[in-house]
């Protein structure tokens, strides 16, 4: 499940109080908490806690729940960051290269994150593959064959220093 999201907007459509932020912090630590466990941790009774969680879900503050997998343990031992520069002109079908590229990225399972960026590259992708041979096939047979791709630069992750999905709610 993915979608294009504008990351530049800092506006929030929902006012969050200290209790909401505590609920969110606890769910970021453990999304499998029962409502009773969550209510105990944030010092609420179960009914108001559940109402708050539902409001956070319905407003989109909580986008989804997921299991976080260890890439190496499922056979994806290589992570790369790939900068992609696109051709700026319209393609023969009258669409711009960026439109075709975004549609294609959605179909590439190796790409787990892709952001439009400022600077020299147009996009930054985070890619997981089994090994260097798999990465080479992805770049040569998929990425470089895309008609809009003009240049690709890759960096491989050697060591994971910090790896979290938790947002810094303490600073809000």
């Amino acid at each position: 499940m993915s979608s294009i999201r504008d990351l530049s907007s800092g506006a929030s459509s929902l006012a969050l109080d200290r209790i909401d932020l505590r609920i969110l912090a606890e769910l970021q630590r453990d999304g499998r908490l029962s409502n009773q466990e969550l209510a105990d941790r944030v010092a609420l009774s179960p009914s108001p806690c559940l109402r708050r969680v539902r409001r956070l879900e319905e407003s989109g503050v909580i986008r989804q729940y997921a299991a976080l997998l260890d890439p190496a343990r499922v056979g994806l031992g290589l992570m790369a960051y790939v900068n992609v520069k696109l051709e700026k002109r319209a393609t023969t079908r009258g669409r711009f290269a960026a439109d075709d590229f975004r549609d294609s990225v959605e179909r590439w399972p190796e790409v787990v994150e892709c952001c439009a960026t400022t600077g020299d590259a147009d996009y930054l992708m985070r890619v997981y593959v089994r090994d260097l041979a798999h990465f080479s096939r992805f770049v040569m047979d998929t990425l470089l064959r895309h008609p809009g791709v003009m240049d690709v630069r890759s960096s491989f992750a050697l060591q994971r220093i910090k790896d979290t999905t938790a947002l810094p709610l303490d600073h809000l």
Side-chain angles (χ1 to χ4, degrees):
M1 173 181 191
S2 63
S3 63
I4 297 173
R5 289 185 302 279
D6 182 359
L7 300 178
S8 64
S9 173
S12 174
S13 61
L14 184 66
L16 302 174
D17 63 18
R18 282 185 32 247
I19 295 172
D20 291 329
L21 292 173
R22 287 174 49 208
I23 288 170
L24 293 169
E26 290 298 333
L27 288 174
Q28 283 190 130
R29 276 191 273 290
D30 184 356
R32 294 185 67 178
L33 286 173
S34 70
N35 184 58
Q36 181 65 57
E37 292 170 315
L38 180 59
D40 291 344
R41 289 185 186 191
V42 299
L44 279 178
S45 59
S47 293
C49 183
L50 185 58
R51 279 194 299 274
R52 282 176 178 262
V53 170
R54 294 256 162 84
R55 180 175 56 91
L56 293 165
E57 291 168 345
E58 290 165 4
S59 68
V61 172
I62 297 174
R63 284 193 339 233
Q64 71 184 58
Y65 297 91
L68 300 177
L69 308 180
D70 183 313
R73 290 182 187 253
V74 296
L76 299 170
L78 186 64
M79 179 180 64
Y81 290 97
V82 181
N83 289 290
V84 179
K85 190 181 286 191
L86 297 182
E87 176 68 48
K88 301 296 189 253
R89 291 179 273 131
T91 63
T92 56
R93 295 179 311 233
R95 292 184 75 199
F96 285 97
D99 298 326
D100 288 336
F101 182 76
R102 284 192 298 265
D103 291 345
S104 296
V105 165
E106 291 290 335
R107 294 188 303 274
W108 298 338
E110 294 90 349
V111 179
V112 297
E113 184 176 19
C114 180
C115 296
T117 60
T118 61
D120 292 333
D122 297 308
Y123 293 91
L124 175 64
M125 300 187 310
R126 185 164 44 106
V127 174
Y128 278 99
V129 290
R130 286 184 301 282
D131 51 28
L132 192 55
H134 183 185
F135 182 76
S136 178
R137 284 191 307 278
F138 170 71
V139 171
M140 302 302 284
D141 299 342
T142 303
L143 193 53
L144 290 176
R145 288 188 186 217
H146 190 281
V149 172
M150 198 167 82
D151 188 33
V152 172
R153 301 203 183 235
S154 305
S155 297
F156 296 104
L158 300 177
Q159 187 178 49
R160 193 171 279 121
I161 307 302
K162 182 176 182 180
D163 184 18
T164 182
T165 61
L167 297 176
L169 301 177
D170 296 346
H171 301 291
L172 295 179

